[in-house]
Each structure stands twice: as C-alpha cells, then as structure tokens.
Amino acid sequence: MTNSIFNPKNKMIKVLSKLFEFFRIKINYIPLLDRWILSQLIPPLIFSISAFTVVSVSVGVMFDLVRKIVEFDLPLNIALNVLILRLPSFVVLSFPMATLLASLLTYSKLSSNSELKALRAVGISIYRIILPSLFLALVMTGLTFVFNNNIVPFSNSKADYVLRSSLG
C-alpha cells in the first residue's frame, strides 16, 4: 500500500489538503450576508445550468445523432461518446442564461419573503445586496472564457474526429 493514493505520505494528498484548508480559511473572511446570498444563488444556478443544457442539447445534437444512427447505422456507444464530447459547447451557452435566471429567481424569492425589505430596513443598500450576484456573474464570465478558450475547441474537434472516423 506504499503507492496508494490514500497513503498520507502522498504529495498529491498533502497538496489537496493544504488547498482545502486554504479555501476553508478564506471562506470565513467572506461576510455573512454575502455567504447567505450566495447560498441562495447556487441551487437555482445549478438547476438553470442543467435545464438550459438539456434543452439546448436536445435541440442541437440529439436530432442529428438520431438521424445518423438510423441512416448510417452509427453505433450507439459512438453516438453517446459524440454526445458527451459535444456537451461542453452547450454547457457554455447555458452559463449566461443560467446566471440571469438564478439571480432573478433568488431576488424574487427574497422579495416575496420580505427579506429584501428587512435588509433595507437595517440600512443595507441595494448595491450591497446585489454584490454577491455581480461576483457570481464575474465568476461565470471567467468560467465561460475558460470553457470557450480551452475545453470547447478540443472537445468539438475530438467529437468531429470520432464521428468522421466511425462513419468513414
């Protein structure tokens, strides 16, 4: 068990534990209000990303793959491989829409529960309340850039190669 990944002497485990400890400490410096609003933003964001991705994949790739399965006898495992390889290009399209929908859902929920009124009553400005949403939008913008620059071109070219090599 000397080469095991779970060996405490493993450098990767040490680096990951230090990284986890760093983020655990840094997250305590985020003000409680921001952590609370971010915790309200994350579940609708995940739901929105998955919903927009499913809809766009079903419209964008599924019909083409089903046609190629029927017409050209494309094997199902190759079709699933191409579908998974094309997924990042659709995920990246859903990031901006999901961020907008998550912000709208979160702030409408806070408004309907009169939590925005309570925050305004204790003297917190609207600009301070929307700051976590702007931070999330910046993070999603960076994530979109990374996906579009690095992941999407590689996965699309790999999907084209797999599709061309399987169809001949």
Side-chain angles (χ1 to χ4, degrees):
M1 206 138 151
T2 59
N3 291 334
S4 173
I5 191 170
F6 299 111
N7 189 354
K9 294 182 181 177
N10 192 339
K11 288 183 181 181
M12 186 172 77
I13 296 296
K14 287 181 182 179
V15 169
L16 287 176
S17 66
K18 285 182 182 179
L19 189 66
F20 178 73
E21 184 67 24
F22 174 76
F23 282 119
R24 190 183 66 78
I25 291 171
K26 289 295 182 188
I27 210 160
N28 289 335
Y29 290 116
I30 298 174
L32 184 61
L33 176 66
D34 294 339
R35 280 188 282 166
W36 175 66
I37 294 176
L38 280 173
S39 72
Q40 298 296 311
L41 280 166
I42 297 299
L45 180 72
I46 293 171
F47 168 75
S48 300
I49 289 173
S50 59
F52 285 127
T53 301
V54 165
V55 169
S56 61
V57 163
S58 65
V59 170
V61 173
M62 290 296 281
F63 293 123
D64 186 43
L65 284 177
V66 167
R67 185 180 58 83
K68 287 180 181 172
I69 288 171
V70 171
E71 288 180 8
F72 302 114
D73 293 327
L74 183 70
L76 190 59
N77 61 344
I78 300 292
L80 288 175
N81 193 7
V82 169
L83 178 69
I84 290 171
L85 286 171
R86 291 276 167 102
L87 201 60
S89 62
F90 292 102
V91 169
V92 83
L93 290 176
S94 68
F95 282 165
M97 296 180 289
T99 305
L100 176 65
L101 185 62
S103 296
L104 290 172
L105 289 173
T106 299
Y107 287 112
S108 70
K109 178 184 158 194
L110 294 177
S111 177
S112 68
N113 292 341
S114 299
E115 291 168 348
L116 289 179
K117 287 181 186 177
L119 289 172
R120 293 285 296 147
V122 295
I124 299 173
S125 72
I126 285 293
Y127 301 113
R128 181 68 183 92
I129 294 171
I130 65 168
L131 192 62
S133 184
L134 292 175
F135 174 74
L136 182 67
L138 283 175
V139 168
M140 294 305 288
T141 301
L143 197 60
T144 301
F145 178 75
V146 168
F147 262 70
N148 273 332
N149 238 12
N150 301 325
I151 298 170
V152 171
F154 175 75
S155 67
N156 280 345
S157 64
K158 183 79 170 166
D160 289 339
Y161 174 75
V162 167
L163 197 57
R164 284 185 188 148
S165 65
S166 66
L167 290 178

